Amino acid sequence: MDLPIQNLAVVGAGAMGSGIAALFASRGINVVLIDPVAGALERASAVIERQVGVYAPDAIQETLRRIRMEAGLEAACGSDLVIEAVPEKLELKRDIFARLDTLCPAHTIFATNTSGLSINAIAEAVTRRDRFVGTHFFTPADVIPLVEVVRCDQTTEATVTRVMDFLRLGGKKPVLVRQDIPGFIANRIQHALAREAISLLEKGVASAEDIDEVVKWSLGIRLALTGPLAQRDMNGIDVHYAIASYLYQDLENRTTPSDLLREKAESGQIGAKAGQGFYTWPAEDRDRVLREKSAALAELVAWLGDKKLS
């Protein structure tokens, strides 16, 4: 009988990997954070200290004490679960798992953190496909509760159960995605919303600021309490059907990125990290805004948890 997961390895010490390591270390799990890139682990320590300070300032040193920093994949060989959190490049992920497959004992479970790459395609790199899942965390990984757990075609029920139990131990709300489809659930819905928002901006219907205001102060606050399907029940499916009958034909339905999105990407206006996207992000404000957003999200998650809303 498989024992509960007690030792975790996280491969990739970027923002996502650092957040995952911080989350489980703050919950008493021993974590090894692995990254061969020069300076990555030092930067991760600073990120973890800053992020934990947002929601658990008294736990910073204890959290850091539970995280061992290593450069080589060999450090993962004593782990019950390995979560890979490297950049979204299929061949890079496959190469890492192929190497881990030879290093880790047979009982070790592998999980890939990806926003939408095929779990089956990544799992082809290993022999233990029965012990392979996708785990899609959301940024900040140690604040946003939900994790999409995506099975590959060979993933066993026992693997799904152990991973989801472990995620709950970390305070997460895991949801099982039964089919390996591009984008899973959240990113399919998020990209559908963003496609329409960018289309409205491109057509000059409203400013970026006003489009965001509409979403935040109507859909946004409601979605925190009620998902889109439950909301259809509350509004009345007949009402939704009537509106859908005339509105769907006018919604943005293009199957390639819009010209505006392509122009932004190609010109380097890629958002906060570049200082310019749909908004201007002065360097002196950017870090403060991101810190305040993380703190506000942590407060919102705590409030919703206290309310015990389904």
Side-chain angles (χ1 to χ4, degrees), residues 90-105:
L90 177 60
E91 289 308 315
L92 173 62
K93 290 176 181 286
R94 285 169 55 86
D95 177 66
I96 287 172
F97 279 116
R99 293 160 61 195
L100 287 168
D101 204 31
T102 65
L103 291 169
C104 296

Side-chain angles (χ1 to χ4, degrees), residues 1 3 10 24 41 53 57 62-63 67 74 87 125 132 145 160-161 166 173 184 201 205 215 226-227 240 282 285 291:
M1 181 176 178
L3 296 173
V10 179
F24 288 103
L41 295 173
E62 180 63 18
T63 298
I67 301 175
E74 297 81 5
F132 196 100
V160 168
T161 297
F166 180 71
K173 293 182 178 296
F184 315 134
L201 177 63
V205 172
V215 174
T226 309
H240 180 80
D285 295 337
R291 283 197 306 272

Side-chain angles (χ1 to χ4, degrees), residues 56-294:
D58 297 334
I60 293 175
Q61 293 309 311
E62 180 63 18
T63 298
L64 289 171
R65 188 184 67 78
R66 289 191 175 276
I67 301 175
R68 178 164 56 95
M69 308 279 188
E70 297 286 351
L73 286 178
E74 297 81 5
C77 66
S79 301
D80 304 309
L81 171 65
V82 180
I83 299 177
E84 163 271 314
V86 304
E88 291 282 86
K89 298 177 181 178
L90 177 60
E91 289 308 315
L92 173 62
K93 290 176 181 286
R94 285 169 55 86
D95 177 66
I96 287 172
F97 279 116
R99 293 160 61 195
L100 287 168
D101 204 31
T102 65
L103 291 169
C104 296
H107 76 271
T108 303
I109 295 173
F110 291 161
T112 177
N113 179 69
T114 173
S115 298
L117 291 175
S118 169
I119 306 305
N120 280 315
I122 301 171
E124 287 176 359
V126 305
T127 57
R128 65 188 77 195
R129 295 173 197 167
D130 60 322
R131 290 175 177 262
F132 196 100
V133 294
T135 49
H136 179 207
F137 289 78
F138 296 80
T139 305
D142 48 342
V143 175
I144 302 299
L146 192 117
V147 180
E148 292 177 317
V149 177
V150 190
R151 48 190 328 158
C152 73
D153 290 345
Q154 287 81 36
T155 308
T156 63
E157 291 293 338
T159 296
V160 168
T161 297
R162 290 189 73 204
V163 171
M164 293 182 78
D165 285 347
F166 180 71
L167 291 168
R168 292 187 188 101
L169 177 65
K172 291 299 188 181
K173 293 182 178 296
V175 168
L176 178 61
V177 182
R178 299 172 183 172
Q179 299 178 26
D180 179 22
I181 61 171
F184 315 134
I185 297 171
N187 271 331
R188 293 177 76 93
I189 294 172
Q190 177 174 242
H191 277 260
L193 187 153
R195 180 174 63 180
E196 187 62 37
I198 293 169
S199 177
L200 293 169
L201 177 63
E202 196 170 35
K203 292 172 181 173
V205 172
S207 66
E209 292 83 357
D210 283 347
I211 292 169
D212 280 350
E213 283 291 286
V214 169
V215 174
K216 287 191 297 184
W217 293 105
S218 63
L219 306 180
I221 57 174
R222 193 165 67 187
L223 285 170
L225 305 176
T226 309
L229 298 179
Q231 190 64 46
R232 302 288 73 75
D233 274 1
M234 294 172 69
N235 288 355
I237 292 175
D238 55 333
V239 174
H240 180 80
Y241 177 77
I243 296 171
S245 296
Y246 69 79
L247 183 59
Y248 277 19
Q249 63 185 321
D250 198 56
L251 293 177
E252 180 61 73
N253 65 354
R254 64 187 300 156
T255 58
T256 58
S258 71
D259 291 341
L260 177 58
L261 187 59
R262 176 181 52 77
E263 289 165 6
K264 290 285 186 184
E266 291 180 354
S267 68
Q269 295 183 23
I270 56 175
K273 58 187 175 183
Q276 182 65 51
F278 295 115
Y279 292 82
T280 299
W281 298 83
E284 61 273 18
D285 295 337
R286 184 172 62 242
D287 288 345
R288 174 187 57 79
V289 169
L290 293 176
R291 283 197 306 272
E292 290 176 354
K293 179 183 176 183
S294 290

